[in-house]
Amino acid sequence: MIRIRRANPDDAPSIISFQQAMAMETEGMELQNDVLTRGVMAVFNDYSKGQYYVAENQGLVVASLMITYEWSDWRNASIWWFQSVYVIPEYRRKGIFRMMYDHVKKEGMECGIAGLRLYVESENVRAQKTYEAMGMNGNHYRTFEWMV
């Protein structure tokens, strides 16, 4: 039985390992463990930075995601961004992200959010199809970035 819940600092080791695996899997990038650990813990120490959610199966954390907040003056409400979504390989294609999405959406609606957003790599067609099947679309905006 999968259970979705807000993460707590005890979940940090799982979240850190998921982020290391995702960076390697999606971008061939090895993250610096000390920087990543401080980054994950910063979210737990300062709610304004975001909030982690995890999916558990019989006490085993099998997925995580982070929500960050964008203020929309047009809507006078926050938009929640999905980031750092990771499901361990043996639990993929089992509807876990959909369960997490539905949980976060319900919680966000109770908080009065204006909407949900995420970004996805342009080559990650499988993820794009998942998001489209959930009623999301990528037709409105393109994301541009400058990163150090």
Side-chain angles (χ1 to χ4, degrees), residues 34-128:
D34 60 328
V35 173
L36 175 60
T37 299
R38 288 193 313 269
V40 168
M41 294 312 297
V43 174
F44 287 115
N45 294 326
D46 181 357
Y47 181 76
S48 71
K49 288 185 176 13
Q51 172 67 50
Y52 287 108
Y53 290 82
V54 295
E56 283 184 321
N57 183 31
Q58 299 178 354
L60 174 68
V61 176
V62 299
S64 68
L65 61 80
M66 179 176 63
I67 295 297
T68 58
Y69 318 108
E70 171 191 349
W71 180 251
S72 173
D73 54 352
W74 287 13
R75 295 171 180 89
N76 189 35
S78 291
I79 296 167
W80 285 7
W81 281 83
F82 286 91
Q83 296 191 47
S84 303
V85 176
Y86 188 79
V87 179
I88 60 176
E90 55 269 30
Y91 282 86
R92 292 179 187 166
R93 311 305 296 170
K94 297 181 186 292
I96 291 175
F97 176 72
R98 178 178 289 278
M99 287 186 276
M100 296 181 84
Y101 175 88
D102 289 344
H103 180 92
V104 168
K105 182 178 179 183
K106 181 177 183 272
E107 196 169 293
M109 296 292 288
E110 291 169 359
C111 294
I113 64 168
L116 300 169
R117 287 187 174 147
L118 55 80
Y119 58 87
V120 60
E121 289 184 271
S122 57
E123 294 83 32
N124 194 344
V125 176
R126 187 171 170 177
Q128 292 172 34

